[in-house]
Amino acid sequence: GFQSGANASSCEICGPGRYSTEDRTDCLDCNPGQFSVGGSDSCEPCSVGFQSGASASSCEICGPGRYSTEDGTACLECNSGQFSVGGSDSCEPCSVGFQSGASASSCEIC
């Protein structure tokens, strides 16, 4: 999680959303779908149901009516006839006799 340039007298910590290269000469940004709290030599993937953009220090939960992409780079809306309570990587279909519009957090009886 630290880096230094040539002839440096000390190392600098790689800040949040960044990680140090293997040779410790540079700090690079985390890719979308990953995060770093800083001082690290790698970025961690977002958990299921969370997403992040580039250079993230944390991942954000996908809220109700939304789900995360497999790579954690975005939250997408559930389609009509589906729902999500949030923090998921998929939407659930409504049961028989129930319906929902797009981005629903629950289904309503018909």
Side-chain angles (χ1 to χ4, degrees):
F2 295 85
Q3 65 92 23
S4 69
N7 302 321
S9 61
S10 66
C11 294
E12 297 177 20
I13 191 167
C14 295
R18 307 192 82 201
Y19 68 99
S20 63
T21 56
E22 193 171 309
D23 62 4
R24 309 288 191 261
T25 59
D26 199 8
C27 294
L28 302 176
D29 294 334
C30 293
N31 292 322
Q34 301 177 335
F35 75 100
S36 168
V37 296
S40 184
D41 62 353
S42 65
C43 297
E44 299 295 321
C46 293
S47 297
V48 168
F50 289 75
Q51 65 87 30
S52 75
S55 306
S57 60
S58 64
C59 297
E60 298 177 5
I61 192 167
C62 295
R66 300 174 69 83
Y67 66 98
S68 68
T69 55
E70 190 173 317
D71 61 5
T73 59
C75 293
L76 304 176
E77 294 182 353
C78 294
N79 293 323
S80 297
Q82 299 178 332
F83 75 99
S84 170
V85 295
S88 179
D89 64 346
S90 64
C91 297
E92 299 295 321
C94 293
S95 298
V96 173
F98 288 77
Q99 62 85 32
S100 74
S103 303
S105 59
S106 63
C107 298
E108 299 174 354
I109 195 164
C110 293

